[in-house]
């Protein structure tokens, strides 16, 4: 094997894919290696072959044919082809603004993105077809750890979220999409935008201790939830500080 791939022999009937290290996590454990062989059949595209070994096309960036010629996912590989499969470059450029929709398993990540002022839709009871419909209608990037969901042909754009802990997931998203951060401007409950309000407007909604201790308030323009920097703000401030460091 040389640096460009396995040595080819006359009569070779397979094409070879060189999988970047960042993408090998999607391969079955028994096939988690750099080189993958696929069998061209004259009809299947390169994108189909990449997905057939387990990698969602949402995670794939440049496809480079031996000789440094870029090819699209619609390219039909020929026997003897050697193709390098690279991940999506970071930060990823989006055709629309950075607006996201998260599946039901990413609720904590959704709240953290909203805390940072990132436009983030989330429902804890929405099934896969409904998620695809909303993502398409509102031009939101669908974020999920469900590879099957990312392979739905009807989905306009999606992304796999890496990491099992919310902090790791948040860092992954900030590094991948680099959305502008506007902390403390969105409702963490519904994603509505917060408006500054005078204390007298919300006093009837406040407990006596809150009224005595705080003077600055915000209210969600969508659901009416009232916000102030209270007992839990230290933890939230740390999330904001860390996120800003990652984004810088």
């Amino acid at each position: 094997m040389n640096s460009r791939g396995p040595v080819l022999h006359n009569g070779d009937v397979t094409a070879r894919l060189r999988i970047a290290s960042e993408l090998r996590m999607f391969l079955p454990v028994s096939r988690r290696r750099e080189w993958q062989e696929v069998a061209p059949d004259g009809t299947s595209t390169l994108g189909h072959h990449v997905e057939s070994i387990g990698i969602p096309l949402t995670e794939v960036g440049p496809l480079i044919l031996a000789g440094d010629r870029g090819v699209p996912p619609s390219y039909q590989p020929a026997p003897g082809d050697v193709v390098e499969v690279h991940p999506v470059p970071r930060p990823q450029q989006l055709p629309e603004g950075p607006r996201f929709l998260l599946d039901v398993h990413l609720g904590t990540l959704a709240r953290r993105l909203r805390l940072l002022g990132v436009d983030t839709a989330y429902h804890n009871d929405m099934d896969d077809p409904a998620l695809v419909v909303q993502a398409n209608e509102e031009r939101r990037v669908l974020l999920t750890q469900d590879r099957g969901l990312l392979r739905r042909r009807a989905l306009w754009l999606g992304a796999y979220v890496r990491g099992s802990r919310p902090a790791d997931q948040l860092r992954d998203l900030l590094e991948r999409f680099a959305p502008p951060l506007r902390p403390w401007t969105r409702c963490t409950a519904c994603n509505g935008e917060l408006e500054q309000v005078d204390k007298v407007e919300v006093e009837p909604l406040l407990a006596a201790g809150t009224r005595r201790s705080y003077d600055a308030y915000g209210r969600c323009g969508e659901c009416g939830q009232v916000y102030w920097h209270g007992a839990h703000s230290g933890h939230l401030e740390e999330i904001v500080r860390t996120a800003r460091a990652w984004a810088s």
Side-chain angles (χ1 to χ4, degrees):
M1 183 181 297
N2 59 33
S3 61
R4 298 296 301 177
V7 176
L8 305 180
H9 303 280
N10 291 334
D12 198 333
V13 296
T14 64
R16 293 171 173 82
L17 310 181
R18 186 182 190 184
I19 309 300
S21 58
E22 298 93 331
L23 296 175
R24 290 176 210 157
M25 60 173 284
F26 296 107
L27 302 174
V29 174
S30 61
R31 296 186 60 185
R32 198 163 290 172
R33 52 186 179 269
E34 181 178 11
W35 291 98
Q36 304 289 321
E37 290 192 353
V38 297
D41 56 15
T43 58
S44 297
T45 65
L46 182 55
H48 170 81
H49 286 296
V50 169
E51 285 199 322
S52 71
I53 62 175
I55 305 174
L57 282 183
T58 58
E59 309 311 298
V60 174
L63 298 167
I64 310 297
L65 197 62
D68 295 325
R69 177 166 70 92
V71 292
S74 58
Y75 172 77
Q76 293 182 1
D81 276 351
V82 176
V83 183
E84 295 189 8
V85 183
H86 295 276
V88 174
R90 296 188 174 208
Q92 182 178 350
Q93 300 300 309
L94 296 175
E96 309 281 345
R99 307 173 71 235
F100 303 105
L101 171 63
L102 279 62
D103 77 6
V104 297
H105 303 292
L106 297 174
T108 300
L109 177 61
R111 289 188 291 274
R112 293 191 179 195
L113 286 170
R114 290 170 177 175
L115 172 67
L116 297 172
V118 179
D119 188 348
T120 305
Y122 170 78
H123 313 276
N124 61 9
D125 58 353
M126 186 172 280
D127 61 17
D128 289 356
L131 284 168
V132 173
V133 169
Q134 182 176 355
N136 292 349
E137 288 181 347
E138 299 180 8
R139 307 304 280 179
R140 294 180 180 274
V141 182
L142 179 56
L143 305 181
T144 182
Q145 293 184 325
D146 182 344
R147 284 179 267 180
L149 181 53
L150 292 176
R151 293 181 61 177
R152 287 183 174 250
R153 296 294 178 219
L155 178 63
W156 86 289
L157 188 58
Y160 184 87
V161 177
R162 296 173 182 244
S164 57
R165 300 186 310 127
D168 297 330
Q169 295 167 357
L170 180 60
R171 182 169 190 170
D172 178 58
L173 264 294
L174 296 182
E175 291 178 348
R176 177 163 179 172
F177 296 106
L181 305 185
R182 297 189 304 125
W184 315 106
T185 61
R186 286 192 177 272
C187 176
T188 57
C190 81
N191 196 45
E193 296 200 49
L194 301 185
E195 307 162 346
Q196 285 190 334
V197 291
D198 291 333
K199 184 176 181 177
V200 293
E201 294 184 45
V202 296
E203 274 188 316
L205 305 174
L206 305 175
T210 303
R211 287 198 302 269
R212 289 193 301 269
S213 303
Y214 305 101
D215 294 314
Y217 296 89
R219 182 168 55 193
C220 176
E222 297 292 329
C223 71
Q225 177 76 33
V226 178
Y227 288 85
W228 63 93
H229 280 207
H232 301 291
S233 61
H235 170 64
L236 301 181
E237 289 279 9
E238 180 59 29
I239 292 174
V240 171
R241 281 194 298 268
T242 302
R244 280 177 163 156
W246 290 333
S248 63

